[in-house]
Amino acid sequence: RLAAVGTAKLRVDGTAVTKATGQQIDLGAIAKGAAVSYLTGRLSAIQGLSGGLISMGSCVGGFGEKPDGSAFRVSVRDPQSQTGTVGTLSLSAGQVLSVSGDYERFVTVGGRHYHHILDPKTGYPAESGLSSVAVITQDGATADALSTAFLVMGEAATLAFYRAGTVPFEAVLIRSDGTVVCTDSVVFSQKQ
């Protein structure tokens, strides 16, 4: 039902949203990130709580400080391994990391891999040449939305969006062949 896909078919009037017949709205691409931002904000306000990480699976947020003042370190899973990692990211207080990939929620039919992140142009799982995208921003919903969008958009469009500077973020892109590409200022230690 590609005819019902797209924000152009939504009508927004103040706080009211009207959708087209047959259209559904799914907030799955931003919900975890928004929840992590909300929780880190609430925990930051608690007296006597020095700092920590909130994890909701594919989204992680940092608040406060570690006792030694160092950055939080978060491992990035290797999409080609059940248990391996490709490296670690540094996460400062107030930052949220969101990871989207083709390796967690999928089904194999007739030897073909179908994952859960769909390309709105085709209605089929995205085939962008990326297996995983990790995005760090100051806002969880933004990190969550960008990691999903970038997995669909692919490397070239993601890096062009980064260079445009419209939305500040850093990212680690893992190509389908397992090679890693990072944006300019991301603090990422690749596993050797």
Side-chain angles (χ1 to χ4, degrees), residues 35-45 52-54 60-64 94-96:
V36 166
S37 279
Y38 174 78
L39 289 172
T40 57
R42 295 293 299 229
L43 291 170
S44 294
L53 292 173
I54 297 288
V60 178
F63 69 95
Q95 291 185 319
V96 177

Side-chain angles (χ1 to χ4, degrees), residues 134 158-159 162-163 169-173 181-187:
T158 297
L159 295 178
Y162 177 78
R163 286 189 293 277
F169 71 92
E170 296 298 330
V172 175
L173 313 175
V181 176
C182 298
T183 55
D184 299 335
S185 299
V186 69
V187 181

Side-chain angles (χ1 to χ4, degrees), residues 145-186:
L146 290 178
S147 66
T148 303
F150 294 160
L151 191 78
V152 174
M153 292 166 52
E155 179 181 340
T158 297
L159 295 178
F161 187 78
Y162 177 78
R163 286 189 293 277
T166 309
V167 177
F169 71 92
E170 296 298 330
V172 175
L173 313 175
I174 303 174
R175 297 175 179 137
S176 298
D177 67 4
T179 56
V180 177
V181 176
C182 298
T183 55
D184 299 335
S185 299
V186 69

